[in-house]
Amino acid sequence: MDGSSLAVVPVASLDRGGTPYEVTLELRRDGDSFGAVGERCGYFLADLAARLVAARADGSPQAAGWPDPDDRFPDPPPHADGVRDPELFAFRYRDRGDVASTGELRCALRTSSVWIEREHAGQGFWRLGRRAVVEAWGSGGRGVRAVLTSAELSGFLDELLTEAERAGASYRDHLGTRR
């Protein structure tokens, strides 16, 4: 939102034999290192991408409540107490030993409402919309934010998973036939 450019680059995690099996996400703001998050997060992102495609589809449970496909997102999973957190993902520093300032990347759902007044009727209605708010916090404590439709989030995840595959970590078996 501030004109900055944030790149999220999947970096392969290697097993002892040197074979890529998962990814960690490297954050770059305006080309400079911004942090590293989400160690071994690729399968989680692939699962979210598949759930997002399903939520955007006509006839999905989300379609009944959200007529505009850009407002349709998968429901976040409930916690043990049944409460749903609005976050679709939250990746923080990579290891338990890392300090908290190493980086963070999160995506939360936000619902907004706008009053639409009917012309010359003195009446109106609320137009509800949902968007994904993606925030990244760098190792220096600065943050960036982007507000995405479900289509834009889907495109971001597709690109991220394509880059992960180029890095050697494929999630096609997990994704099935997403498109």
Side-chain angles (χ1 to χ4, degrees):
M1 294 185 88
D2 69 354
S4 295
S5 172
L6 178 71
V8 181
V9 181
V11 177
S13 297
L14 307 176
D15 65 14
R16 290 182 186 180
T19 303
Y21 68 96
E22 253 290 7
V23 294
T24 296
L25 304 177
E26 182 179 305
L27 307 177
R28 294 183 175 271
R29 181 175 181 251
D30 297 329
D32 296 328
S33 181
F34 198 56
V37 299
E39 183 140 31
R40 294 181 293 279
C41 65
Y43 279 99
F44 182 84
L45 291 170
D47 180 66
L48 175 58
R51 292 186 305 121
L52 184 56
V53 168
R56 286 183 47 78
D58 290 336
S60 70
Q62 289 81 2
W66 302 97
D68 184 346
D70 279 342
D71 293 328
R72 297 180 198 159
F73 293 89
D75 294 324
H79 294 287
D81 60 4
V83 175
R84 292 186 187 274
D85 191 343
E87 285 187 338
L88 292 175
F89 62 79
F91 303 127
R92 291 173 180 84
Y93 42 92
R94 298 184 332 189
D95 295 321
R96 283 181 261 229
D98 285 349
V99 294
S101 64
T102 305
E104 183 173 347
L105 179 68
R106 71 164 75 198
C107 177
L109 293 180
R110 299 285 187 259
T111 302
S112 63
S113 57
V114 176
W115 180 254
I116 308 294
E117 190 166 341
R118 293 197 172 118
E119 193 172 323
H120 307 294
Q123 299 176 357
F125 61 95
W126 288 105
R127 162 63 171 101
L128 297 178
R130 288 172 89 191
R131 294 296 180 258
V133 178
V134 178
E135 295 178 317
W137 295 93
S139 55
R142 293 191 64 198
V144 294
R145 175 183 298 160
V147 178
L148 306 176
T149 65
S150 64
E152 291 167 333
L153 181 60
S154 184
F156 169 74
L157 292 172
D158 282 347
E159 186 176 325
L160 195 57
L161 293 169
T162 297
E163 289 299 317
E165 188 168 9
R166 286 188 189 126
S170 177
Y171 303 96
R172 291 198 186 279
D173 59 330
H174 187 68
L175 294 171
T177 55
R178 291 187 321 157
R179 303 264 185 251

